[in-house]
Amino acid sequence: MTSTSAGTAPSRDLVLGIVRKDHVQRYSTVVVLVLIFLIFAATVDRFLQPQNLLNIAQQISILTIVGVGLTFGFAAREMDLSVGFAVGLAGILVPLLLTKDVALPLALLAGIGAGLVIGGVNAALVTIVGIPSLIATLATASILFGISFILTGGRAIYGGLPEAYLWLGQGRVGGVPVLAILMLIAVIVAWFVMERTVFGRYIYAVGGNRKAAELSGINVRGYRIAALVVCAVFATVAGMLLASRLGSGQPNAGERYLLDGLATVFIGMTMLRPGTATVVGTFFGALFIGIINNGLNLLGMDTYIQSIVKGIIILTAVAVVSRTTKLNLL
Amino acid sequence: MAEMETCLTDITMQFPGTRALDRVSVTFRVDEVHGLIGENGAGKSTLVNILGGSLPPTSGSIAIGGESVRLKSPRDALLRGIAHVSQEGSLVAGLSGAENILLGAEPRRAGVIAAGKLRNDAAALVKRWFPQVVINLAEPVASLPVADRKVIEIVRALRGDIRLLILDEPTATLPAREKEQLWSIIRSLPRQSVGVILISHFLSEIKALSDRITVLRDGRHVVTEAAGRLSESQLVDLMLRRSGESGKSKEQAAAAARAEGAVALSVKGWRAGRLQVPQFHIRAGEIVGLIGLTGSGHFGFARSLYNPAGVHYESCEVGGRAVALHRARTMRDMGVALVPDHRMENALIGEWELRENLAMVHPQHAVLTTGVLSRRREESEAQRIMRLLNVKAHSSAQQLNTLSGGNKQKISIGKWLYGAGNRYKVMIFIEPTEGVDVGAKAEIYAEMRRLAGLGVAILIASSDLIEIETMADRVIPFVNQAAGPELTRAQFSESAFITAMSGESA
C-alpha cells in the first residue's frame, strides 16, 4: 500500500508511463553490462574461469576506490580533476617513506594525511577563494604532478618494501585478492554513508540544489569541503594500494585514474538515479570498464584499441546523462 | 487597416494545474500605445510571451496583417515584426551603448568589426527613432543611467522592421525624474508606425500613455476600451475580482483574537542594501502581509530576514532571544522558517522523491540511535505530512518533478512541518501561491491559518493583493525600499493597497 493521498492520483496511465520510463532509465545500463558480459562469456575462451573473474575484481578495485571518492564530489556537484595525480603522489610518498624505514602504519597514515591536505587545499580554493572546482583542481593537479617528480627525481622507487605492505596489493585471502576485499569494504561503507546517513543526504542536497540546501539551513560550505576532502582521501588510499600492487612507486602510475575514474562515475550516473552520482552506480561503472578491458585483453586487442573503446563508452554515457537530465558541472 | 493589425483570437494557455489564459482575443494596432493591465497571475506575461514567440499557445490563432502565423521562437517573432523588451533588461553590461545596439549585427570590414562605422550606425539609429534624445553611446552601459539603458534596449529592439514593441514594466526601476524622457519616447513610437504594448503596475502611467487599455483577470479578457473612457478607479475595479465579502467578518474576529500574542520576531534599524526598515515586529499567531510594487523591497525584506547577506541591524530578536550570528542556519535553529518564491530554484529538488524533499530540513527526525536513517520512519512522517497537506500523489516515492504547481508548493511548505514538532515560531512565505491552482490555494490558506492558530507568526510577502486582503491581519506597504505606514484590517481595500504601494497619499 503506497497510495498516500485522500484525493485521486493524477492519472493512472500517466503514472504507469512514468514508472515504466523510470525503469528503462534506471536499469538499461545494467542490461547493457549483462549483455556485454554474456557476449564475452560466449566468445572468449578463458573469460568465465573463476581465476579470470577474480582478476577482474582485482583489476577494478583501485579504480573503484578512486571512483567512489569522485562520487562524493559529484554528489555535491564538485568535480575533482586532481585525483589522478593524488593517486600518483600517494603512490610514491608511501613507498618513499617505507624505504626510509618509516614504520608501515605511520607511512599509511602519512598517505591518508596527504589526502586530507590535498582535499583541504582543493576545498579552500573552491569554497573560500571561490574558484570553480573544475578549474581549481586542474591547477592543483599540475602542482601535485610537479611535487611527485621533485620527490623522486622522476625515477621509480624499487625494492625494500615490507612484505606486509605488498600483501595489501598482491596478497590473497582464501584465493580472494585482498584488494578486492578492500574495494568491497570501501563500496559498502561509502554506500552506507551516502544512502543511510544524514551526512550523505546533505551531500546530495548540496549537489541537487545548492540554493535550496542553503535556505533549508544546511551548512553548504561544510559539505562541499567534506565532499572534496573525502574525494582526495579515497584517491590517496587508492595510490597507496596501487604502489603496493605494482611493488614500486611510479610517479606516472596515477595518471590514467582520472579519466577512468570519471568514466566510472559517468556510467554510474546513467542508472539508478539518472543524473546523480551514486556509489552503487559508480561500482557498476567500474565493473563495466573492467569487464570490457579484460575481454578486449583476452581477445588480444592492444591498449590503443581499449583506449578508443573507453572514449566511446564515456561519450555514450555522458550523452545519455546530459540528454535525459541536466548535467551541470561548473 | 488589417495589414497594420496583430490579432490574437481565442488564445488559451494551459500549464500543468493552471490555465494561464482562457480564450483571450485582443487586437493590437501599429498606431497606438496599448496598455495591458491585470493583477499578478492575470495572464499578462503569458500573453506577451506568446506574442514574443517564447511560448507556444495551447490553442488559438495569431494573425499579423491579416495573415495567420505561428510564432515558434523569439527570432521568429522578430522576423514578423514583434519585439519584446523584458523588465529585467538584456544588455551586456561591459559593452558600450553602440555595441549593445548592434549586438549580433556588427558592421564588418574584411571580417573585422568596423568600430567607426559601428559608432556611426548606432548613433544614426538613435537619431532616426528619437531625434530629441542625447545619449552617450561610447560608455559601457553599466555606467549609464537606467533610463538611458532602457532607451538603448528599445533602439536595439527597433533595429529590424518592427511593427509591435512589447514593453514590460519599462519604468519600474526608474527614478521619477528619468521617467519623463522614457514617456516621451514611448509616445513617439505610434507616430512612426510602431505599436506599443505597455505593461505597467503604475495605473497613472497606463492612463497617461495608452490610447487603448486591455484588462485581464484570472486569465480572461475583461475589456478593451479607449483609455479616455476609463478612470483609474474603474480600472482597479475591473482588475480585481469582487468576491469573498461574506467570510470577512468572521476572519476579522479571529484576527482580533490572534493579535495579542507575544512578540515572535522583532528587528530594529534593519538595513539591507538600499532597503531600510527602522522597526518591525510580528506577534505569535499574527498574519502580517508585505506588499509593494516590483523592486520596492517587500520581497527583499522578507528574504533578508532569513538569508541576510549584507544585512546590518541594531537588534534582531526571535522569541525574545537576541540573534547573534545571523544567517540561514542560525535563523532556522532559532525557529524561523522560510517558504521562498521560485520554489524549484530555492526550495525543492526536482529529481528527488517527495519523501526526500520533505525530509530535507530535518532528516534527523528519522535517525535511529545507531545513526542510521530509517526509511520506515522517514516514510511514515512523509505520509503524515502528505495527508496533512492533502498532497495529491500516488506515493511518497514519486519524483517531485511530476507534481503540479500546487502540490509542489505544499511540499515546499511541508519541508518545514516534517519532523519539526512545534519548533517554528515564525514562518515567512514569499509568493505562497505563485503558480498554484485555485483548489490548492484554498488549502494553503487554510494551512497558514491553522499554523497561526497554533501560535506561529506568519509573514506573507505577496504581489497578490486579494491574497493579502483575505489573509493578513495588518499590512505593511513598501515604497522605494522603505516600509510605509502600516494598514490595519479596517483600512483594507484593494484600492487602498494600490494607493499605499504607489506611495501616493490616500
Side-chain angles (χ1 to χ4, degrees), chain A residues 4 196 201 209 216-217 273, chain B residues 329 348 356 373 383 415:
Chain A
T4 50
R196 289 287 184 272
R201 184 62 66 78
N209 186 341
S216 299
R273 294 168 171 241
Chain B
R329 220 171 339 140
L348 302 171
E356 295 164 322
L373 259 184
Q383 301 262 1
K415 266 173 58 168

Side-chain angles (χ1 to χ4, degrees), chain A residues 229-314:
Chain A
V229 169
V230 169
C231 190
V233 169
F234 269 77
T236 53
V237 168
M240 301 189 277
L241 296 174
L242 177 64
S244 162
R245 201 185 95 193
L246 298 174
S248 65
Q250 313 262 5
N252 277 326
E255 237 169 304
R256 57 176 278 252
Y257 286 98
L258 171 60
L259 187 62
D260 286 12
L262 291 177
T264 62
V265 178
F266 286 137
I267 294 170
M269 285 168 84
T270 61
M271 49 188 286
L272 299 176
R273 294 168 171 241
T276 303
T278 58
V279 174
V280 173
T282 299
F283 179 55
F284 269 91
L287 264 180
F288 205 108
I289 288 183
I291 287 173
I292 284 183
N293 276 346
N294 180 272
L296 294 180
N297 245 333
L298 294 181
L299 283 172
M301 304 268 187
D302 62 31
T303 49
Y304 310 114
I305 302 289
Q306 290 181 30
S307 177
I308 291 171
V309 171
K310 195 157 58 200
I312 292 170
I313 293 171
I314 294 174

Side-chain angles (χ1 to χ4, degrees), chain B residues 180-248:
Chain B
E180 261 320 300
Q181 180 190 8
L182 207 57
W183 280 23
S184 76
I185 278 180
I186 293 170
R187 272 201 217 94
S188 75
L189 285 168
R191 292 199 293 272
Q192 306 182 64
S193 291
V194 175
V196 174
I197 300 177
L198 177 66
I199 297 181
S200 173
H201 270 100
F202 299 98
L203 288 182
S204 54
E205 178 169 282
I206 289 277
K207 276 281 291 170
L209 292 179
S210 306
D211 299 298
R212 291 195 302 158
I213 296 173
T214 288
V215 182
L216 295 179
R217 187 206 306 145
D218 292 334
R220 294 206 175 81
H221 178 255
V222 178
V223 71
T224 299
E225 187 62 84
R229 300 173 63 171
L230 293 166
S231 71
E232 273 185 50
S233 66
Q234 278 173 308
L235 287 176
V236 172
D237 286 346
L238 289 169
M239 276 165 64
L240 303 170
R241 205 172 2 172
R242 289 290 159 190
S243 64
E245 301 285 337
S246 55
K248 244 182 198 174

